[in-house]
Amino acid sequence: MIHLHFTAADLTRVRFAASPLTETVTSLRALAAGGRGPHLHRPWIDRFAERAGQLRERDLDLLRALVRPEGYVPDFLVPPPGRRSSTFSDALGQVADADPETVARELAHLAAHRVAQQGPGREARRALLQALVGRPDAGIGPVTEALEAYHRVAIAPDWPRIDALLHDDIAYRLDALADGGVDRMMSNLHPSVTFAGQTLTIVKYYEGHADCAGRGLLLVPCAFAWPDVLVRTAQPESPSVSYSPRGLGRLWEEHPEQAGSALAGVLGQTRAALLAQLDLPMSTSQAATQMALSAPTLSVHLQALRAAGLLSSRRAGRQVLYSRSELGDRLLSGAGRQPDA
């Protein structure tokens, strides 16, 4: 068990953030686990297998040496985001700027963990890790290059939908905070997480205690953390907890092709396809990326669907998020049913 102890000051400094780098790093674990039978992320794993040829094998070997199927993840690979939304390039810059002494210490700690490395290439991965332990300052460059290449192939194509799910979870948690305070917000983060007596307890395979000591707490919804919870307590940053967001089962749902459908005949193909995509709240830019259209073009379609009552909208910071309304759900559901003969 890990016990994070709060002061009154810490409770005023609880914040949320989404991290594309954390998703990138933790997705490597999903790949490792995916070969062992049914898996929640199976649709993504299968799609990645089709794109994996775009990556150099040595990049994957290097990343698999650093991110094992279970156990310790070096903290320098998952730096805390400075804002609620951050870009992958910003986070990668934090990795590039990591203190070599800290990197050396964390890599040595990783090398000391005798977690079995299964599958072909395990000896090569062990050798790569040992080389990094000896010269971490020379290894940061290859690590960031490998992360960038892997992110481009593995995560970037699906990032708009992942990002929408993460921010939908954050909105839900903030609503819970407004309705019932920190207790309600923390009450259903994850089955292995409990909050009582100003202590957050996370079920783990080892016993540990950490004082937040006025640093607060960073909560990071992370799709690929499933089914685990990741905890980071390294100073001087705030402790962080990465947990699975609500509605994770929706993430890889297939959206039926709307081209040629009765609904497309009424709304037009683009608007019918857009309506199908917006089961998760998305901004104009997210939806535009998902639909491969320009933001101004997409905005026209969003406004038309909203005016017809098929979408609802709400503001989140500087963005406006759009999602299907109840009427839009009924219309899409009805369009999918075959008429009686």
Side-chain angles (χ1 to χ4, degrees), residues 27-274:
S27 71
L28 289 156
R29 288 188 157 180
L31 286 179
R36 303 198 292 265
H39 198 283
L40 177 69
H41 295 301
R42 173 61 59 189
W44 172 82
I45 293 169
D46 293 341
R47 289 206 297 273
F48 173 76
E50 298 173 359
R51 304 189 294 252
Q54 302 174 39
L55 289 169
R56 297 181 301 184
E57 190 62 35
R58 64 184 180 184
D59 285 340
L60 273 177
D61 279 342
L62 177 58
L63 295 178
R64 286 168 174 157
L66 294 171
V67 184
R68 294 173 172 178
E70 57 187 15
Y72 175 70
V73 175
D75 288 333
F76 79 90
L77 289 176
V78 284
R83 303 187 303 275
R84 178 170 164 179
S85 295
S86 62
T87 67
F88 178 77
S89 60
D90 286 343
L92 200 62
Q94 290 178 268
V95 177
D97 292 338
D99 175 31
E101 291 186 5
T102 299
V103 173
R105 184 170 60 253
E106 293 177 0
L107 291 177
H109 184 63
L110 176 66
H113 281 235
R114 300 302 180 188
V115 177
Q117 294 262 1
Q118 301 298 326
R122 61 183 180 273
E123 292 302 325
R125 292 194 290 273
R126 186 177 294 115
L128 284 169
L129 178 58
Q130 289 300 328
L132 287 177
V133 170
R135 293 194 62 195
D137 54 334
I140 286 293
V143 168
T144 56
E145 290 172 7
L147 282 169
E148 185 172 28
Y150 174 74
H151 174 83
R152 184 179 65 252
V153 173
I155 301 300
D158 296 303
W159 178 246
R161 191 162 175 82
I162 297 171
D163 193 33
L165 180 71
L166 303 183
H167 281 90
D168 191 39
D169 180 86
I170 291 173
Y172 170 83
R173 306 292 172 191
L174 294 178
D175 284 345
L177 176 65
D179 287 342
V182 174
D183 282 344
R184 180 173 295 183
M185 183 185 71
M186 299 281 205
S187 65
N188 63 347
L189 279 179
H190 190 276
S192 67
V193 177
T194 56
F195 181 70
Q198 292 191 313
T199 296
L200 193 71
T201 303
I202 304 101
V203 176
K204 286 287 182 180
Y205 60 92
Y206 61 93
E207 189 75 15
H209 291 262
D211 291 321
C212 295
R215 293 176 291 157
L217 176 70
L218 175 63
L219 295 170
V220 183
C222 178
F224 286 104
W226 180 91
D228 201 3
V229 174
L230 306 181
V231 182
R232 187 184 191 279
T233 59
Q235 296 194 32
E237 294 89 357
S238 302
S240 67
V241 173
S242 299
Y243 63 93
S244 304
R246 295 174 67 256
L248 184 56
R250 293 182 291 164
L251 183 56
W252 309 121
E253 285 181 352
E254 293 292 332
H255 295 90
E257 181 61 50
Q258 298 298 320
S261 68
L263 187 59
V266 175
L267 297 180
Q269 293 182 7
T270 299
R271 290 177 184 177
L274 179 58

